Amino acid sequence: MFLRKIKHSLYLKLMAFAVKFNPEASHMTFAGSGSSAQLCRHIARTGYSKVLVVTDKPLRELGVVERAVSALVEAGVDVAYYD
């Protein structure tokens, strides 16, 4: 277990180091009310034409997922679901 923790820690530090020197890496955070719509609009603006949404079946049956990705559908992005 101890070696596993060390391995994981080293992996995280290596990834942080690699991201620091990758000019294409950018991180965005969307939080709060309407954040899923903001995320969807950002995805549509970046030019993606197909998106895979991974969710669970109850959320999809309740319509939560469809409300969350409605901005993608309105932008003409092809949305595939994996539940």
Side-chain angles (χ1 to χ4, degrees), residues 31-82:
S33 179
S35 59
S36 61
Q38 291 175 353
L39 173 62
C40 291
R41 285 192 297 271
H42 174 73
I43 291 170
R45 277 194 310 265
T46 56
Y48 291 101
S49 60
K50 294 181 181 182
V51 174
L52 174 65
V53 176
V54 180
T55 183
D56 59 352
K57 199 168 188 171
L59 288 177
R60 187 140 185 236
E61 290 172 351
L62 290 171
V64 174
V65 177
E66 281 72 17
R67 286 192 306 262
V69 298
S70 63
L72 287 174
V73 174
E74 290 171 7
V77 175
D78 184 27
V79 179
Y81 298 97
Y82 177 79

